[in-house]
Amino acid sequence: MPYQRYPWTPALAAACLLCSLAAGAQTASSGTSTTEREIQSLFKALQQSGCEFARNGQWYSASEASAHLQRKYSYLQKRDLAPTAEAFIARAASQSSMSGKPYLVRCPGQPEVRSQQWFEAQLANARTAQ
């Protein structure tokens, strides 16, 4: 048997595997925290915008819209479906998951735009500010 000559080999292999897994987990958590910060900055931008948010033909305040999107984000998080801020925008903040109709954003003194465009601009601003 190969392990009789070097009895420490299984323990060394196990230690190497654990170190690899720990390094991978650390890398993954770093990415997740960046994503989380970016998505939270999108919620903050929405809440502070003074804009209105249309969903399925009805307009909502920024705080109501933020609460709705937070629920959608929680759903996505539980299923690992929002690994990036872009994925969050595409899967939760762009259109109704029930009707498929696009969400709209209407800000004071500005034309109405699709929410995907609005959130992508907010994300670009947040990244530039860092």
Side-chain angles (χ1 to χ4, degrees):
M1 275 197 203
Y3 295 126
Q4 288 181 350
R5 185 167 180 188
Y6 302 107
W8 46 266
T9 302
L12 180 61
C16 288
L17 177 63
L18 287 174
C19 287
S20 296
L21 291 173
Q26 186 176 15
T27 301
S29 69
S30 298
T32 302
S33 64
T34 297
T35 297
E36 181 66 24
R37 279 193 308 274
E38 288 179 341
I39 292 172
Q40 291 307 318
S41 77
L42 295 176
F43 286 125
K44 184 177 179 181
L46 177 60
Q47 290 168 348
Q48 295 176 348
S49 70
C51 300
E52 294 179 303
F53 190 89
R55 176 168 49 98
N56 295 319
Q58 186 169 347
W59 289 95
Y60 296 89
S61 69
S63 61
E64 291 170 315
S66 182
H68 174 71
L69 294 177
Q70 285 276 4
R71 287 189 299 274
K72 288 182 79 172
Y73 179 48
S74 292
Y75 176 88
L76 293 175
Q77 278 184 303
K78 290 175 187 171
R79 289 156 183 81
D80 291 327
L81 294 174
T84 65
E86 290 85 357
F88 163 74
I89 292 169
R91 292 185 174 137
S94 296
Q95 67 183 16
S96 169
S97 42
M98 300 300 271
S99 70
K101 291 181 182 180
Y103 292 152
L104 302 172
V105 176
R106 174 172 68 189
C107 298
Q110 297 178 16
E112 180 179 292
V113 296
R114 288 186 176 221
S115 64
Q116 181 172 0
Q117 177 184 350
W118 190 87
F119 279 110
E120 287 171 348
Q122 299 304 312
L123 179 59
N125 291 342
R127 287 177 173 168
T128 302
Q130 289 179 356

